[in-house]
Amino acid sequence: MKVAVIGGGAAGLMAAYAAASGGATVTLFERNEKCGKKIYITGKGRCNVTNDCEPSEYLRHVVRGGKFLTSSVYSFSPRDLMDMLERGGLKLKTERGNRVFPVSDKASDVTKCLENYCKNAGVHFKFNERILKLDILNSTMRGIITENDEFYFDKVIICTGGLSYPSTGSTGDGYRFAEQAGHGIVSPVPSLCGVNLCGNYYKPMQGLALKNVAIKIFRCGKKTDELFGEMQFTHFGASGPIILTASALICREPADDIKLELDFKPALSFEQLEARLLRDFKENQNRDISNCLKALLPLSAIEPLLSRCNIQQTKKVNSVTKSERSALLTNLKNFDMLFSSLRGFEEAVVTSGGVSLKEINPKTMESKLVKGLYFCGEVLDCDAFTGGFNLQIAFSTGYAAGCAAAKTD
Ligand SMILES: Cc1cc2nc3c(=O)[nH]c(=O)nc-3n(C[C@H](O)[C@H](O)[C@H](O)COP(=O)(O)OP(=O)(O)OC[C@H]3O[C@@H](n4cnc5c(N)ncnc54)[C@H](O)[C@@H]3O)c2cc1C
């Protein structure tokens, strides 16, 4: 069985290894001069390779495609991946939130380990070779066409990734191959990224990191989610953990339908916050309101908050009216972030959307339209939250595709 794997990222390396150890003759084609350019930048260069949890828990962190992934994640679970990497000599450690990293804190060690598995299983690597087209005859795979050559293969596994961080080689080629084979594509959009905010109210807060705050997500005026944790304001708007999570939840919705509100004090109810404000006001009656708020808010957030409430920074606390106090309360709890749009693919950790799951067999990753054609990894319409869940999508689907492609029909 001759198998071609297109793309040498996490999914491609796993698929190539699984196919070769299943007895296939495997060639992995990578357009770059080496494998794993994206792996190299994962987890800030440390590679959060998976999440140490049971498949049932894992699937709760998948945003789209959870049902489709069930079979492949149970067949090749986070535990299976961790065992495989450790057998291959890569020592692992588990950090906060069950996030798994190499002990060396070097993402390149993950690639090395996977490459060693491939080499030992006899995978042949072809670098600097970009696949341009598939060769399909009578709904059956015949081979692939590169910039310089044509190759005949019984099976072809597409692992070309999505559109995020295109400088790593992931430029959406897999979508074109899928379309050539007649597959539907769910429009790819950036996910796990920062958000652009309107106006410039947030500029004074640029660089401000907030802990223990909440983001409330409204869709068409209805509150649908509330996320607690950390975020920061940036030169374009906002980013940080809860903003990334929010982006994954809203990325497929029209921007006009979305409203994001920041709760500066989620631990306090409206009533508790009002009592706190009244106490602070009583103790600081003759001071400027901006000074009085210092106990409650970081310095750089005071000016934007007061300006949103139309209160002068120098206004004395004893002259703040009841309605101004009420505006302050409202904005402390429900500060409209003036959401504009998501950041682009250049900065998105993953792509949401891709090859429609309807026409892919979830057990084998084989196309239901073209015999011998497989898709795995980020090219598929599956995505998850941060925490090692996205790489595990690549590993589980890559493993399923490789094992299936090695089988003779
Ligand atoms: C900054 C950043 C940090 C991240 N951190 C984490 C993390 O810590 N944990 C986690 O779980 N996930 C993380 N992710 C997400 C994760 O890296 C991806 O979901 C995963 O790597 C996707 O793997 P893949 O193999 O499907 O695709 P890719 O890694 O994108 O690999 C696709 C490969 O195919 C090659 N290719 C493309 N087209 C062709 C062609 N026509 N011919 C030949 N080769 C081609 C590309 O050069 C590339 O090497 C991060 C992503 C980014 C951008």
Side-chain angles (χ1 to χ4, degrees):
M1 181 69 59
K2 279 183 71 186
V3 175
V5 173
I6 318 300
L13 286 165
M14 183 56 79
Y17 161 68
S21 47
T25 305
V26 181
T27 308
L28 186 152
F29 292 83
E30 168 53 56
R31 65 188 284 188
N32 292 325
E33 70 291 355
K34 59 178 182 187
C35 286
K37 275 204 169 174
K38 186 168 280 175
I39 295 176
Y40 191 70
I41 57 167
T42 55
K44 299 199 170 95
R46 299 201 301 134
C47 186
N48 176 195
V49 69
T50 188
N51 193 281
D52 186 6
C53 64
E54 293 301 315
S56 55
E57 173 63 17
Y58 171 85
L59 291 165
R60 277 196 273 279
H61 297 262
V62 173
V63 190
R64 281 157 289 254
K67 193 162 167 240
F68 174 86
L69 290 169
T70 304
S71 169
S72 60
V73 170
Y74 272 89
S75 301
F76 190 75
S77 66
R79 173 49 49 197
D80 294 328
L81 173 75
M82 290 164 69
D83 288 346
M84 176 180 159
L85 294 173
E86 297 218 285
R87 273 198 316 276
L90 186 75
K91 289 203 165 50
L92 299 172
K93 60 179 173 181
T94 304
E95 297 188 358
R96 180 177 52 88
N98 297 331
R99 290 162 196 248
V100 180
F101 294 86
V103 167
S104 65
D105 283 330
K106 280 192 195 153
S108 54
D109 287 348
V110 174
T111 308
K112 272 187 210 150
C113 180
L114 293 168
E115 277 176 336
N116 281 340
Y117 266 108
C118 286
K119 283 175 191 156
N120 293 337
V123 173
H124 178 60
F125 288 88
K126 265 187 168 294
F127 294 112
N128 299 308
E129 195 91 65
R130 184 177 186 182
I131 309 310
L132 297 183
K133 234 177 148 210
L134 303 180
D135 185 358
I136 301 169
L137 187 70
N138 298 329
S139 304
T140 306
M141 275 319 298
R142 238 166 55 119
I144 51 176
I145 299 160
T146 72
E147 277 166 333
N148 313 308
D149 220 335
E150 290 176 36
F151 299 92
Y152 291 92
F153 285 99
D154 305 302
K155 311 270 179 86
V156 174
I157 310 177
I158 309 293
C159 320
T160 45
L163 279 168
S164 49
Y165 277 73
S167 54
T168 60
S170 325
T171 51
D173 288 11
Y175 307 144
R176 288 190 281 284
F177 304 148
E179 276 172 339
Q180 191 200 335
H183 281 267
I185 304 291
V186 176
S187 281
V189 289
S191 182
L192 299 181
C193 56
V195 299
N196 295 311
L197 300 175
C198 297
N200 56 12
Y201 77 86
Y202 58 87
K203 299 276 180 187
M205 293 191 278
Q206 185 176 324
L208 172 66
L210 295 168
K211 283 185 177 168
N212 303 319
V213 292
I215 291 290
K216 298 171 193 171
I217 302 176
F218 293 80
R219 291 177 165 93
C220 299
K222 193 165 169 269
K223 184 177 145 193
T224 53
D225 302 275
E226 188 161 355
L227 308 165
F228 297 89
E230 296 174 25
M231 61 154 285
Q232 70 215 39
F233 285 97
T234 63
H235 63 283
F236 54 78
S239 191
I242 54 174
I243 295 293
L244 262 56
T245 302
S247 76
L249 294 171
I250 63 176
C251 64
R252 309 262 278 246
E253 318 265 338
D256 287 350
D257 292 352
I258 299 295
K259 185 178 177 196
L260 298 181
E261 281 182 3
L262 168 60
D263 184 346
F264 284 100
K265 296 284 164 197
L268 300 180
S269 69
F270 245 90
E271 292 70 28
Q272 287 169 325
L273 188 59
E274 185 170 31
R276 164 75 196 267
L277 212 52
L278 282 169
R279 202 179 67 222
D280 286 359
F281 277 20
K282 206 170 160 196
E283 286 166 9
N284 298 282
Q285 285 189 42
N286 297 318
R287 296 181 75 190
D288 291 354
I289 180 71
S290 54
N291 272 328
C292 172
L293 288 174
K294 277 182 193 162
L296 204 59
L297 278 180
L299 209 56
S300 61
I302 294 174
E303 186 215 310
L305 184 85
L306 287 174
S307 125
R308 190 65 69 80
C309 303
N310 283 323
I311 306 175
Q312 292 254 320
Q313 289 192 64
T314 49
K315 187 159 194 171
K316 296 291 172 216
V317 169
N318 58 17
S319 60
V320 171
T321 65
K322 198 172 170 202
S323 74
E324 283 171 337
R325 200 180 69 229
S326 152
L328 266 176
L329 263 175
T330 307
N331 277 288
L332 278 165
K333 293 293 286 174
N334 306 323
F335 187 85
D336 187 347
M337 306 254 299
L338 304 182
F339 171 69
S340 155
S341 58
L342 294 180
R343 298 294 286 170
F345 284 114
E346 287 73 20
E347 295 172 28
V349 170
V350 289
T351 303
S352 175
V355 177
S356 167
L357 305 177
K358 284 188 204 141
E359 297 134 358
I360 306 290
N361 180 332
K363 289 198 166 66
T364 61
M365 303 298 141
E366 189 173 14
S367 158
K368 292 178 185 169
L369 309 179
V370 173
K371 205 163 164 300
L373 176 63
Y374 301 77
F375 292 91
C376 52
E378 203 174 309
V379 72
L380 290 167
D381 178 23
C382 304
D383 60 278
F385 292 123
T386 56
F389 302 102
N390 284 295
L391 277 168
Q392 185 66 42
I393 291 181
F395 292 129
S396 291
T397 56
Y399 188 80
C403 292
K407 291 199 176 112
T408 39
D409 308 300

